[in-house]
Amino acid sequence: ELVKYAQMFSFNLNFFAPECSAETPYITKWLGYLVLPYFMIMPLTAAYIMACISTLPGLGPEAKATKRQLLTNAWARCICMVLLALLPFHLDTIL
């Protein structure tokens, strides 16, 4: 029942629908379901790394530590939101 409530607030990412014309083996389909949602985290991590590289140099030690902490906090919140949005999709796939 908890999954039904979570699905109301998540995205339906059914990339490997049965009506697709390309036939794929079961293992490929299963790996796609398992790995694809986590690949969506890569652009967020790349943005975090670019923000750290471009904004941290030239700051004093205290400002640098504060800014790094704020950037890390923002990145972690974004990752948590992405995982919460993708969790019902992922659970439906593997269960």
Side-chain angles (χ1 to χ4, degrees):
E1 190 170 315
L2 181 62
V3 174
K4 289 179 186 177
Y5 289 121
Q7 283 178 341
M8 293 185 335
F9 301 104
S10 69
F11 304 106
N12 184 7
L13 302 172
N14 195 0
F15 290 108
F16 301 102
E19 59 269 3
C20 288
S21 60
E23 189 173 327
T24 57
Y26 175 77
I27 189 71
T28 305
K29 199 180 287 190
W30 185 76
L31 284 174
Y33 273 127
L34 200 61
V35 175
L36 191 62
Y38 298 104
F39 277 147
M40 294 179 182
I41 294 173
M42 292 173 73
L44 291 172
T45 303
Y48 167 73
I49 292 169
M50 287 187 283
C52 285
I53 290 172
S54 65
T55 62
L56 290 179
L59 295 175
E62 190 174 318
K64 191 176 203 174
T66 303
K67 191 158 193 172
R68 182 181 300 271
Q69 183 179 11
L70 290 172
L71 283 171
T72 303
N73 188 4
W75 173 77
R77 282 184 285 148
C78 287
I79 296 299
C80 285
M81 292 303 296
V82 167
L83 290 178
L84 284 174
L86 295 174
L87 187 63
F89 168 74
H90 186 71
L91 288 177
D92 283 346
T93 302
I94 61 174
L95 296 178

